[in-house]
């Protein structure tokens, strides 16, 4: 395909801090990236740019600085060979607020801006801040279908689980701490929030706080559900994918009255 613009994905060597690691499957080192872009020129292609990804829900802004500095060194070497990159795609990974705090996006902007200023020249910069934009806009409304006391643990079973929209619970080993509340608003107890399927891995959160007197037909509200929920959902074991209800105006989806209104289906993700 002569004249086609191509870009290469760098393997980002990043510090710990990504809740949902995504590196390893893709990416090459800077030496291979140089060879590939040089080969592209020889094949009549257009060596357009480079990209990297530091891992999803990355809580350490300096991860981008290390990767961009590596791009700078590659850009300098490519310039000697007569190649000037037109695009730098800094990937995603920008975090949303779940139950645990994360740095403000402005902190990422400062670190990334300073790293871009160190480049030998500035290409067009692209990014994919999807989670940071949309995660907090969604609340997953689930119905309680059973409770149990097993040993010293209280279990709350709801009608949506890891396979029906909460897949990141499994991907993160249940460490992605979704903010949760419920319709009872009673004194809290620590419990395991688990899904409806027969799979023993189908658990959303361990040791989370919910009302101690939750019962069937009560509601559990799972916050920051606007990203990687319905897009991941499957009808595993015959359970439906959550329906989506959109709410606008001054109402907030996390309010009980709004959340209850969303529950025409057994469970739903509301997007404000």
């Amino acid at each position: 395909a002569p004249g086609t613009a191509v870009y290469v994905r760098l393997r980002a060597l990043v510090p710990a801090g990504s809740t949902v690691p995504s590196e390893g499957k893709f990416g090459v080192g800077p030496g291979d990236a140089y060879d590939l872009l040089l080969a592209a020129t020889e094949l009549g292609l257009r060596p357009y740019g480079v990209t990297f990804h530091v891992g999803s829900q990355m809580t350490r802004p300096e991860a981008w600085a290390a990767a961009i500095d590596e791009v700078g060194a590659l850009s300098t070497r490519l310039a000697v060979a007569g190649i000037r990159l037109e695009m730098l795609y800094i990937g995603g990974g920008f975090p949303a607020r779940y139950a645990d705090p994360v740095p403000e996006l402005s902190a990422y902007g400062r670190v990334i801006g300073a790293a871009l200023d160190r480049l030998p020249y500035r290409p067009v910069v692209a990014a994919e801040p999807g989670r940071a934009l949309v995660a907090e806009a969604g609340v997953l409304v689930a119905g309680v279908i059973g409770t149990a006391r097993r040993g010293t643990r209280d279990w709350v079973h709801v009608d949506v689980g890891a396979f029906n929209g909460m897949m990141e619970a499994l991907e993160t080993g249940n460490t992605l701490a979704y903010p949760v509340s419920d319709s009872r608003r009673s004194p809290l107890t620590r419990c395991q929030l688990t899904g409806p399927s027969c799979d023993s891995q189908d658990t959303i959160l361990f040791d989370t706080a919910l009302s101690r007197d939750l019962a069937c037909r009560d509601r559990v509200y799972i916050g920051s559900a606007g990203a990687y929920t319905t897009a991941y959902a499957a009808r595993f074991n015959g359970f439906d994918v959550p329906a989506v209800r959109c709410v606008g105006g001054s109402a907030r989806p996390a309010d009980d009255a709004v959340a209850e209104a969303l529950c025409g289906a057994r469970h739903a993700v509301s997007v404000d």
Side-chain angles (χ1 to χ4, degrees), residues 98-265:
Y98 290 83
D100 297 328
V102 296
E104 294 293 329
L105 281 177
S106 58
Y108 293 83
R110 287 190 297 272
V111 170
I112 291 171
L116 292 174
D117 288 341
R118 293 194 294 270
L119 291 174
Y121 57 87
R122 179 73 70 93
V124 171
V125 179
E128 47 175 300
R131 185 196 299 272
L133 291 176
V134 304
E136 295 170 58
V139 175
L140 194 148
V141 182
V144 177
I145 59 174
T147 61
R149 178 80 175 175
R150 297 191 178 91
T152 60
R153 303 275 188 166
D154 289 317
W155 290 77
V156 175
H157 295 255
V158 291
D159 59 3
V160 65
F163 302 105
N164 317 113
M166 307 304 295
M167 182 56 72
E168 285 200 313
L170 289 187
E171 284 191 322
T172 64
N174 303 99
T175 61
L176 188 60
Y178 294 91
V180 295
S181 60
D182 61 72
S183 56
R184 286 272 176 173
R185 295 189 172 180
S186 300
L188 301 176
T189 188
R190 310 303 294 187
C191 62
Q192 328 287 52
L193 182 63
T194 194
S197 78
C198 66
D199 195 305
S200 59
Q201 296 183 84
D202 187 11
T203 294
I204 300 166
L205 287 169
F206 290 102
D207 195 33
T208 193
L210 290 168
S211 294
R212 66 174 67 253
D213 55 349
L214 273 178
C216 288
R217 303 185 68 82
D218 287 337
R219 303 292 186 188
V220 172
Y221 309 126
I222 304 173
S224 293
Y228 302 108
T229 50
T230 55
Y232 261 165
R235 296 190 70 253
F236 178 70
N237 273 189
F239 294 96
D240 289 335
V241 171
V244 175
R245 303 285 184 262
C246 294
V247 181
S250 60
R252 299 298 302 170
D255 292 343
D256 279 351
V258 177
E260 288 293 343
L262 293 167
C263 290

Side-chain angles (χ1 to χ4, degrees), residues 66-90:
I68 293 171
D69 286 343
E70 193 170 63
V71 172
L74 174 62
S75 299
T76 298
R77 187 181 177 197
L78 287 168
V80 174
I83 295 175
R84 183 180 177 91
L85 299 176
E86 299 180 52
M87 181 202 72
L88 169 57
Y89 191 8
I90 63 174

Side-chain angles (χ1 to χ4, degrees), residues 35-51:
D35 292 340
L36 286 167
L37 290 167
L38 208 62
T41 301
E42 295 167 356
L43 293 170
L45 304 173
R46 180 178 160 203
Y48 183 66
V50 294
T51 182

